[in-house]
Amino acid sequence: MSTTGTGAARSRELAENLAAVRDRIDRACRAVDREPGGVTLIVVTKYFPAADVVALASLGVTDVGENRYQEAAEKFAEVRAQLVHDAPRLHFIGQVQSNKATAIAALADVVHTVDRPKLIAPLARGVRPGSRLGVLVQCDLATGPGQADAAHRPGDRGGARPESVTDLADRLAGEADLDLRGVMAVAPLGAPPEPAFDRLADLSARVRADHPGADWISAGMSGDLEAAIRAGATHLRVGSAILGTRPPLR
Ligand SMILES: *Cc1c(COP(=O)(O)O)cnc(C)c1O
């Protein structure tokens, strides 16, 4: 796991990066007459240590994203031991393997990446007693409706096909222990994000027609958060613009 400097210097660097990202969010919101308060920043801390999460929390970060179960479990055991009642909410944003779904549900506060019905039962089983797990339907924006046979590209990031999103949303909404929050997507690589984010906004409207409370749109990363805000994103997932460059994929 990478660290970039320690202690005070690292905190200063995180504070500066965070301020720059918050400024980008403010300006993007103002440009389209949106309230910055309507956009939640989820800081993606994958590959970076628990100390960074603790430093970010002291800078006012309330929401953190992680994409691998094992790493998140180890890191958040540390974070929660240190911060007890002030630990940030944990958003799971990585692909959910069926055999890890129960453990992910027990660890996270929100899972953004539910993309198939098979995950519902194991997720529901893991929900901590007395609480409900927030869930979002991850949408595949690489293939439009009617392109169901399109070959999956290497590096495919997962997601339910557009035509199955509302069905999956209905099923999630029917689970007592799950709280359907909305939709999530990653813009396809190597293409302008705008058309993809517009398709996501469309899918969100279709889900909200039957589930008005499921109004989260989780979209936008370091490189495309302005486009996501223009398309109505309510939750941004920003990593490298705040934490710095990650080491290459393991
Ligand atoms: C890593 C990751 C992000 C953050 O990406 P950056 O480009 O570093 O901001 C957002 N969403 C998902 C699903 C990710 O895996």
Side-chain angles (χ1 to χ4, degrees):
M1 212 170 282
S2 125
T3 47
T4 313
T6 50
R10 178 59 169 160
S11 279
R12 209 153 43 236
E13 179 184 15
L14 291 173
E16 282 169 16
N17 293 345
L18 191 60
V21 166
R22 291 203 189 283
D23 189 54
R24 282 174 65 188
I25 295 170
D26 283 355
R27 276 182 286 137
C29 284
R30 227 172 298 129
V32 291
D33 248 337
R34 291 189 57 191
E35 278 297 323
V39 175
T40 299
L41 172 62
I42 299 167
V43 180
V44 179
T45 50
K46 62 188 184 199
Y47 304 106
F48 289 94
D52 279 352
V53 180
V54 171
L56 287 163
S58 77
L59 296 168
V61 168
T62 54
D63 294 85
V64 160
E66 287 285 335
N67 74 333
R68 287 166 196 261
Y69 170 72
Q70 196 57 41
E71 177 186 341
E74 289 166 15
K75 199 181 299 182
F76 266 70
E78 243 180 285
V79 169
R80 285 168 174 163
Q82 279 191 56
L83 298 179
V84 195
H85 300 299
D86 300 318
R89 274 182 291 273
L90 175 55
H91 298 253
F92 192 83
I93 62 168
Q95 289 195 23
V96 182
Q97 293 168 260
S98 305
N99 64 352
K100 299 264 176 65
T102 300
I104 289 168
L107 175 71
D109 299 292
V110 184
V111 176
H112 288 232
T113 39
V114 183
D115 63 356
R116 56 197 190 280
K118 205 182 149 192
L119 295 176
I120 296 175
L123 282 173
R125 263 202 303 281
V127 178
R128 298 188 290 263
S131 69
R132 297 174 82 211
L133 177 72
V135 288
L136 288 84
V137 176
Q138 182 182 1
C139 305
D140 174 8
L141 300 179
T143 53
Q147 284 177 266
D149 293 331
H152 271 205
R153 303 158 303 130
D156 189 316
R157 294 169 177 214
R161 296 193 177 284
E163 62 273 20
S164 54
V165 166
T166 52
D167 176 63
L168 183 51
D170 291 346
R171 293 183 194 218
L172 289 167
E175 282 290 323
D177 295 325
L178 304 181
D179 186 9
L180 176 67
R181 286 298 176 76
V183 294
M184 175 274 197
V186 178
L189 285 169
E194 284 83 1
F197 288 150
D198 286 345
R199 289 203 294 283
L200 183 63
D202 253 30
L203 290 168
S204 168
R206 278 197 257 156
V207 168
R208 277 180 288 127
D210 287 323
H211 311 286
D215 58 0
W216 291 20
I217 301 179
S218 166
M221 317 188 349
S222 294
D224 58 15
L225 69 88
E226 285 85 359
I229 287 172
R230 284 195 293 277
T234 63
H235 290 68
L236 309 173
R237 309 177 308 266
V238 179
S240 51
I242 295 169
L243 279 300
T245 317
R246 290 180 291 272
L249 279 181
R250 290 182 285 203

